[in-house]
Structures are given as structure tokens and as C-alpha cells.
Amino acid sequence: MAAKRQSVAETLADVTSRRPVLEPVLRAFEPLLSAGHALAGKLADPVREAGLRLPELQWDRAQQGVSLLAGVSLTGIAGPMRQAAEELLPLLTTIEAVAPHADSLRAFFLRPVEAPAESADSRDALAEAVVAGRSIESIARDGGVEPDVLAFVTGFVVSPVLHAMVAAAVPEEGDAPWDTGGAWQQGYCPVCGAFPTIAWLDKPILDDKNAYLAGGGGKKHLHCSMCGAAWKFLRGACPSCGKEVSGTMEMLRETEAARGERLDWCTKCNTYCPTVDLREREAVPNLDALALGMMHLDMVAARKKLRPLRPSFWNMY
Ligand SMILES: [Zn+2]
Ligand SMILES: [Zn+2]
């Protein structure tokens, strides 16, 4: 029997019941997380119609640590990005640091999409730059948007589109292409190259038909919030510096009501990644929502001078 999957709202309600002090923050960001999550489903058709799909995984490139979207053209992504921006900009522009830029952001993201042959669309170039980790400075200047604000907003706008592309490439059952045969060994995302926001240890797998234990569980997976991809990773290794020596990774957790939530941090490079052990929970939480709900541990980590593997919006603004 598959474990129940919690929505963004259910995950945050569960966190709030245990950590009432976080309620105002969680309530403030819930609409944004819920809208992003719903968009990934709504964009399935537009993304396919725009001809956007992940390239086939090539074994030797994967072994060399080249992410699937590295250097890949995202021409046509402007349409789905515009659709995402229509829903997300009204929410994003309520954030204090973003609000003064509402007009320039709307002008940039919501302008009509021209026929591909007309001219190169700077939204396509923007998405490609974000995935490649290149500077977006000149695109921002040409588009009349403050670069820092554009970078922040673009993460939200591109993410549901990438989620839809990943969902189309992952089989309902069985391993994702990058998990097959241990093709991908890196601590960053096999699809978009971003570092993971959260990790999880899986539950034991029960074979329904024969009622025997098909797998003991406890394998570690990393989750990318940018594109929604998940991939298997060595439990004792650091996703940031790759060190795998016994005693490299330490764990930081609350003494009470932890429900499998903890930070795994590296004693060599001082980066950390929130982690949830699903063997200690019944339902499977929405991982992006849970990462937000574990921000009390981010604060503990900051006091210990540890750095997040991937900084998230709640510790950026
Ligand atoms: Zn990714
Ligand atoms: Zn490390």
C-alpha cells in the first residue's frame, strides 16, 4: 500500500500543530507554495505543446556529472513561463522587497509571446541562463528589471515549468532515468544542476501481493525544489564537497517531536541539508513545504555558523 501524500497545506498544518511559533511565516508563504505546486500540473499540456522535454540520459555524460539541461536550448519556454507568472506575480509582489518592482516585472514576464521566428525571446534566454548558472545581469538591464529581484522572481516562475518537464520524464513506477544503474553520483541535481533543498530517507517497501518486505528502506534521496527531481545519494557522503569518510556527516535534531526531521551537516565544509527520515512518519509530506517548516533548524544551523547547501527564499529575504 502506498503511503498517503500530503498537500502543501496539509504538510504546513502538521508543522504548525507542532511548532505554533512558525504559524505567521508558514501562513504567509503557503499561497505561493500551493500555487507553484498546482501550476506544475496545469503546465503539463502547455509544456508538451511547446516541445519542451528533457533530453535522453546519456550514461557517459551522467557519469561525468553533466546535468541533463546543461547547455540545452529552452526555446519556447517563454509561453509556459508567462502562464506561471500570471498566477505567481500577484503573490510574489506582496513580498516587501519585490513590491516596488511590480510594474517592471509585469512588463517583462507578461508581455505577449511572439511567433518563434520573429525574434529571440529574452524569457527563453533568461531560463537558459538560470539553469546554466550564468549571470542574468544583461537580460535584466535590457528588460528594465533590477537584477537581484529578477533572479529571485525567475526562480519561482521557471520552477513549475521544469517540474512539468521532470514529471513527464519520470515513470510512475520504477527508477528515474538518472537512478537507473547508479548513473548519477553527484550531490547536485541530475536535471537542472541546482543543489538539493531537502533530503529524505525512504520507507521500507512492502510487496502488496506477497506481503513480504521487498526493501528495508532508509536509502537516502536528495530533492531539488527547482525542478522537482529526486535522486539517490550515498548516505555517508557530503552532497557539497563529496567527502565520504566515516564521521564526516553529523546530525542535528530536536529532542522532541522531531518526526524524523533533522539537519545533516558536513564537518569538512560546514554545509548542511535538511533531511527527513520517512520511516518515522506515516504520510509523505510535501517536501518543499516541509523544508520551509524546518526553518527553526536553519536558525540553529546559522548560530553554529553552518551554511545551507541551497539558500531558500525564507533565509534570503
Ligand atoms: Zn533540479
Ligand atoms: Zn562537505
Side-chain angles (χ1 to χ4, degrees):
M1 194 177 65
K4 179 184 167 6
R5 291 194 166 270
Q6 293 180 313
S7 67
V8 168
E10 286 165 341
T11 304
L12 293 180
D14 181 86
V15 171
T16 304
S17 70
R18 288 178 290 133
R19 293 179 208 114
V21 66
L22 291 183
E23 187 176 1
V25 188
L26 303 187
R27 200 188 282 279
F29 287 113
E30 185 187 324
L32 192 55
L33 284 176
S34 290
H37 189 71
L39 263 167
K42 286 186 214 170
L43 291 173
D45 288 341
V47 158
R48 196 181 51 246
E49 283 154 19
L52 295 163
R53 52 188 189 85
L54 298 186
E56 293 282 324
L57 185 117
Q58 289 172 26
W59 178 265
D60 45 332
R61 277 172 68 85
Q63 289 284 297
Q64 287 160 20
V66 184
S67 296
L68 277 175
L69 288 177
V72 166
S73 158
L74 292 173
T75 300
I77 201 172
M81 272 172 79
R82 182 178 187 275
Q83 200 176 330
E86 268 174 351
E87 291 199 29
L88 297 179
L89 281 183
L91 299 168
L92 285 163
T93 50
T94 63
I95 297 171
E96 210 178 329
V98 181
H101 307 273
D103 287 341
S104 60
L105 286 166
R106 276 195 289 268
F108 182 86
F109 283 107
L110 302 184
R111 72 200 134 97
V113 179
E114 292 175 37
E118 297 287 313
S119 67
D121 194 302
S122 59
R123 286 164 292 194
D124 292 348
L126 177 64
E128 285 167 9
V130 164
V131 169
R134 285 196 308 265
S135 166
I136 61 154
E137 191 103 23
S138 66
I139 299 171
R141 209 175 40 239
D142 295 346
V145 194
E146 184 69 31
D148 287 350
V149 175
L150 184 65
F152 177 71
V153 168
T154 302
F156 288 92
V157 169
V158 172
S159 174
V161 187
L162 298 181
H163 272 71
M165 291 171 72
V166 168
V170 173
E172 292 227 349
E173 276 184 52
D175 284 342
W178 41 87
D179 275 343
T180 307
W184 188 255
Q185 311 271 342
Q186 310 299 326
Y188 51 88
C189 178
V191 174
C192 75
F195 274 119
T197 336
I198 187 167
W200 87 92
L201 306 186
D202 58 21
K203 288 169 174 290
I205 302 163
L206 209 57
D207 187 303
D208 282 343
K209 291 183 204 82
N210 303 307
Y212 72 93
L213 208 58
K219 279 195 292 297
K220 190 171 199 171
H221 304 249
L222 304 178
H223 168 81
C224 174
S225 283
M226 185 67 184
C227 73
W231 65 102
K232 289 180 192 158
F233 194 70
L234 291 170
R235 237 175 112 160
C238 170
S240 177
C241 70
K243 289 270 187 319
E244 197 204 5
V245 193
S246 137
T248 301
M249 299 302 288
E250 296 264 349
M251 233 188 270
L252 199 133
R253 65 189 285 164
E254 288 176 312
T255 44
E256 281 171 50
R259 306 267 313 280
E261 296 166 14
R262 63 193 211 204
L263 298 184
D264 287 4
W265 66 280
C266 172
T267 55
K268 298 286 184 285
C269 71
N270 284 339
T271 58
Y272 70 89
C273 188
T275 302
V276 59
D277 190 339
L278 295 182
R279 293 174 298 181
E280 294 181 36
R281 303 171 86 100
E282 270 182 38
V284 177
N286 175 282
L287 292 165
D288 298 322
L290 185 64
L292 170 64
M294 287 171 68
M295 64 187 294
H296 62 298
L297 291 176
D298 284 302
M299 295 177 224
V300 178
R303 281 199 294 274
K304 282 178 68 85
K305 304 261 185 288
L306 304 178
R307 290 176 296 115
L309 185 56
R310 180 167 173 85
S312 293
F313 60 90
W314 56 88
N315 45 34
M316 280 167 64
Y317 272 91

